[in-house]
């Protein structure tokens, strides 16, 4: 797959999104060339090992403003895009600046609603009728970068934060690989500081609901 779009995936835990990304590599013609984790015992690393994908783990150091060791690995991997898939640390600004418009994240809410943690519970508490997940580019503002795509689900009367999390995760497993593919195919691309989708300015999120 030497001509495929190369990605590096960051995880901290279970890694079900990583699993889905790996399984859809040939379908969407991208290649996971490196998996990075701040947790050496993250369960999700097994998906990478089973697929013979190189893994790099590191100890989080809040004083390392550029994540120098991680950056070195990423540069060596020659990846085109960094995908945060359940990575539970806030990346330092220096690192984000070094990979400007090259980092995306999946967040379990319909951004700009509910940045940060405990999104499912907030949906329940606020009696929202819909919920969703968002894939966005990463900038210095937490969960605040340009939104690319969203998956939307209805909230039912008997939903709990747990049932919402499970139902949404299932949708994330389609949303994230398909969004990676849109970027890999240059259907979503930056020109100067504007994001385009199929040559039109991206003004609303691309809805990916299957
Ligand atoms: C997902 O809900 C994702 O949106 C959030 O963290 C969770 C990761 O799940 N950022 P997994 O590790 O991919 O199973």
């Amino acid at each position: 797959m030497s001509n495929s779009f190369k990605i590096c995936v960051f995880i901290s835990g279970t890694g079900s999104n990583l699993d889905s990304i790996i399984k859809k590599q040939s379908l969407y013609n991208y290649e996971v060339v490196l998996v990075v984790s701040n947790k050496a015992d993250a369960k999700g690393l097994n998906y990478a090992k089973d697929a013979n994908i190189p893994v790099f783990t590191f100890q989080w150091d809040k004083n390392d403003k550029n994540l120098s060791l991680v950056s070195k690995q990423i540069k060596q991997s020659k990846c085109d895009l960094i995908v945060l898939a359940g990575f539970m640390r806030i990346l330092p600004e220096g690192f984000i600046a070094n990979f400007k418009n090259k980092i995306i994240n999946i967040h379990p809410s319909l951004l700009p609603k509910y940045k940060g943690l405990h999104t499912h519970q907030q949906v329940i508490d606020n009696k929202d009728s819909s919920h969703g997940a968002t894939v966005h580019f990463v900038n210095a503002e937490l969960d605040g970068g340009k939104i690319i795509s969203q998956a939307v689900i209805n909230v039912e009367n008997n939903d709990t934060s747990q049932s919402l999390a499970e139902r949404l995760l299932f949708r994330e497993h389609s949303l994230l690989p398909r969004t990676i593919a849109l970027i890999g195919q240059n259907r979503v691309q930056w020109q100067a500081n504007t994001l385009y989708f199929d040559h039109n300015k991206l003004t609303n999120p691309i809805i990916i609901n299957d």
Side-chain angles (χ1 to χ4, degrees), residues 148-180:
I148 310 164
S149 58
Q150 291 182 325
V152 184
I153 62 172
N154 290 326
V155 181
E156 311 296 343
N157 286 337
N158 57 353
D159 264 321
T160 61
S161 69
Q162 178 70 22
S163 67
L164 282 180
E166 279 170 20
R167 224 162 57 245
L168 192 59
L169 199 55
F170 182 72
R171 293 295 190 79
E172 291 182 31
H173 296 163
S174 297
L175 176 67
L176 189 49
R178 284 191 54 185
T179 305
I180 294 166

Side-chain angles (χ1 to χ4, degrees), residues 13-18 85-88 105-108 120 169 172-173:
T14 317
S16 68
N17 276 292
L18 170 65
F87 184 69
M88 301 308 286
N105 177 47
I106 186 157
H107 180 76
H120 313 299
L169 199 55
E172 291 182 31
H173 296 163

Side-chain angles (χ1 to χ4, degrees), residues 173-190:
H173 296 163
S174 297
L175 176 67
L176 189 49
R178 284 191 54 185
T179 305
I180 294 166
L182 289 175
I183 299 169
Q185 293 156 359
N186 288 324
R187 292 185 61 192
V188 168
Q189 63 178 166
W190 288 98

